[in-house]
Amino acid sequence: MKKISQSTRIFIALFLGVAAGLLLQGHAEFANEYIKPFGTVFLNFVKFIVGPIVLFSIMSGVVSMRDIRKVGQIGGITVAYYFLTTAVATAIGLFVANLFRRTFPVIETGSLTYEIPEKTHPMDALVNIFPSNFLEPITESNMLQVIVMALLIGFAIILVGEESDKTIEGINRWNNIFLKCMEMILSLSPIGVFCLICPVIATNGPKVVGTLAKVILAAYLGYVLHALIVYSFTVKVFGGVNPVRFFKEMLPAIMFAFSSASSVGTLPINMECTEKLGVPNEISSFVLPLGATINMDGTAIYQGVCAVFIASCYGIELSMNQIITIVLTATLASIGTAGVPGAGIVMLAMVLTSVGLPVEGIALVAGVDRIFDMGRTTLNITGDASCTVIVTNILNRRKSVRA
């Protein structure tokens, strides 16, 4: 079993959970009373780790970016581009998912209770982004406030200067500790998936399973649209490169990323591909590794699609405030999903929590996460490469103007 990958174990757990659920269709009460609680324990662990992971990952990412001032313009353009395209990607994911929304089923929630939040004024949503207490954002799982708090503290540490070196070291150590803790929790994913999906199937039958194909189709449609529309446009207009040539030169990296589902593992090939596109090493060596950390366009589309799917399954209509919150959360939290296997599930839990959606819905998509991951990793590394082309072209234009 040690030789079987985590994604394969989750696949097996999913199929076993579906099979067990079908066998227990006449005994749904037993599944909900004696199997679901173990899944709830797994979810409690996931909820527990979300706050610390977001807080320390973002602070660690911010303080490590203090070198951006040394590269000045490169860092500014890169970060702005990454965050902008991630926000657009989330919006595309939500748009595509809403096209499929009517085909998603409404499942029986069993003992799950859900209260629709009261409608608030748009300005209240803006005010609620900013924390008024240090502990409340974590204890109340207000992820947007956690993100803002992490950014504020991170920038303050940078401004302190050399005196904060020990603090930075401490943040990185705590970040590593919580990442290891998350790794331990995610190792329980197969058990969690089995115990969560089994009661769902026992209560609702096999009708839920068939919709997974539609969810995957929605996600991949979002991936393709984002690549063909957003990347083609930005590469052509801001990068001065023919989109056909761009995707042709990127093909080796795209194929490797799709098969390996590893952004970090694709870095060497991605650097070779961008070099053929005329990107100097000083730019690619900075932009691509940074992109592997904070550029998560594919993950953002995945969050949007899954949020709509899960909301639909539970018969919940997302409000405009909730949609805006999903876009903001997925965009700001993208820097907290640094190359950790299974981190997409934790980020999805964070997005669901931020808008009050049932975290139990993760069980519906966790079993096919590897299929989602192949596509989102491919989109992520393609976005990283597009940024290198754009930064190169903009800097070359500025040099020519000064000359």
Side-chain angles (χ1 to χ4, degrees):
M1 288 295 293
K2 291 182 179 180
K3 296 181 180 179
I4 301 177
S5 66
Q6 177 76 342
S7 58
T8 303
R9 293 177 188 174
I10 294 178
F11 265 119
I12 294 173
L14 174 69
F15 291 131
L16 291 177
V18 171
L22 293 174
L23 292 174
L24 292 172
Q25 273 191 280
H27 306 279
E29 186 176 343
F30 173 85
N32 282 292
E33 290 185 3
Y34 296 100
I35 297 178
K36 186 178 179 180
F38 293 100
T40 303
V41 170
F42 170 72
L43 286 178
N44 287 342
F45 274 130
V46 172
K47 293 175 183 177
F48 151 74
I49 201 62
V50 162
I53 279 290
V54 172
L55 179 64
F56 284 96
S57 291
I58 292 180
M59 282 197 297
S60 179
V62 169
V63 297
S64 68
M65 287 164 58
R66 54 183 175 174
D67 291 337
I68 285 183
R69 288 185 294 181
K70 297 179 182 179
V71 293
Q73 295 173 328
I74 298 177
I77 297 170
T78 300
V79 172
Y81 178 77
Y82 284 158
F83 275 89
L84 180 61
T85 56
T86 300
V88 173
T90 309
I92 289 176
L94 290 167
F95 171 75
V96 172
N98 275 290
L99 295 179
F100 286 78
R101 181 179 175 84
R102 292 184 179 180
T103 66
F104 297 151
V106 176
I107 67 174
E108 296 291 336
T109 59
S111 59
L112 179 69
T113 58
Y114 175 80
E115 296 181 3
I116 300 177
E118 295 181 2
K119 292 184 179 180
T120 58
H121 192 276
M123 292 306 295
D124 291 335
L126 175 64
V127 172
N128 290 335
I129 293 176
F130 302 94
S132 60
N133 184 286
F134 182 79
L135 295 178
E136 278 186 8
I138 297 177
T139 58
E140 296 182 0
S141 297
N142 190 326
M143 290 304 115
L144 279 178
Q145 291 188 4
V146 172
I147 293 169
V148 171
M149 183 169 66
L151 290 172
L152 182 62
I153 296 174
F155 285 124
I157 292 172
I158 292 176
L159 293 175
V160 169
E162 295 181 358
E163 296 179 10
S164 64
D165 286 347
K166 291 185 177 180
T167 303
I168 293 174
E169 183 180 348
I171 289 174
N172 290 329
R173 286 182 177 179
W174 276 107
N175 184 45
N176 291 334
I177 290 172
F178 283 114
L179 288 176
K180 177 59 67 174
C181 188
M182 183 179 72
E183 184 181 324
M184 294 166 59
I185 292 172
L186 292 177
S187 67
L188 300 175
S189 294
I191 298 174
V193 167
F194 176 88
C195 295
L196 288 170
I197 199 68
C198 177
V200 172
I201 300 299
T203 303
N204 300 275
K207 64 179 181 180
V208 177
V209 180
T211 63
L212 288 178
K214 298 176 184 177
V215 182
I216 294 171
L217 176 62
Y220 272 81
L221 179 59
Y223 298 154
V224 173
L225 286 176
H226 190 73
L228 294 182
I229 297 175
V230 177
Y231 294 156
S232 295
F233 175 79
T234 55
V235 164
K236 176 67 176 178
V237 176
F238 302 108
V241 175
N242 188 309
V244 176
R245 180 188 170 220
F246 172 76
F247 287 110
K248 182 179 179 181
E249 296 293 353
M250 281 298 300
L251 194 57
I254 288 174
M255 293 175 62
F256 185 86
F258 186 79
S259 60
S260 67
S262 172
S263 297
V264 176
T266 311
L267 267 177
I269 300 178
N270 210 0
M271 287 184 176
E272 291 179 6
C273 292
T274 54
E275 184 179 352
K276 294 179 181 179
L277 289 167
V279 177
N281 183 66
E282 62 179 2
I283 292 179
S284 63
S285 62
F286 170 78
V287 174
L288 293 180
L290 181 62
T293 302
I294 69 172
N295 183 38
M296 299 291 171
D297 293 355
T299 306
I301 290 175
Y302 162 78
Q303 306 300 325
V305 170
C306 290
V308 172
F309 169 63
I310 292 170
S312 177
C313 285
Y314 286 92
I316 300 167
E317 190 75 30
L318 293 176
S319 66
M320 183 55 65
N321 282 345
Q322 287 176 307
I323 291 175
I324 293 174
T325 300
I326 290 174
V327 174
L328 289 173
T329 304
T331 302
L332 295 175
S334 62
I335 64 174
T337 58
V340 179
I345 294 177
V346 174
M347 184 176 173
L348 180 56
M350 181 186 65
V351 170
L352 296 178
T353 301
S354 69
V355 292
L357 290 176
V359 182
E360 288 84 349
I362 291 176
L364 298 172
V365 295
V368 291
D369 186 66
R370 171 70 180 190
I371 300 176
F372 285 115
D373 198 14
M374 294 165 67
R376 65 185 182 230
T377 299
T378 302
L379 190 67
N380 290 343
I381 64 99
T382 306
D384 298 344
S386 70
C387 186
T388 63
V389 172
I390 291 167
V391 171
T392 300
N393 188 51
I394 291 177
L395 293 182
N396 287 339
R397 284 182 180 179
R398 290 181 178 178
K399 288 181 181 178
S400 62
V401 170
R402 290 174 182 174

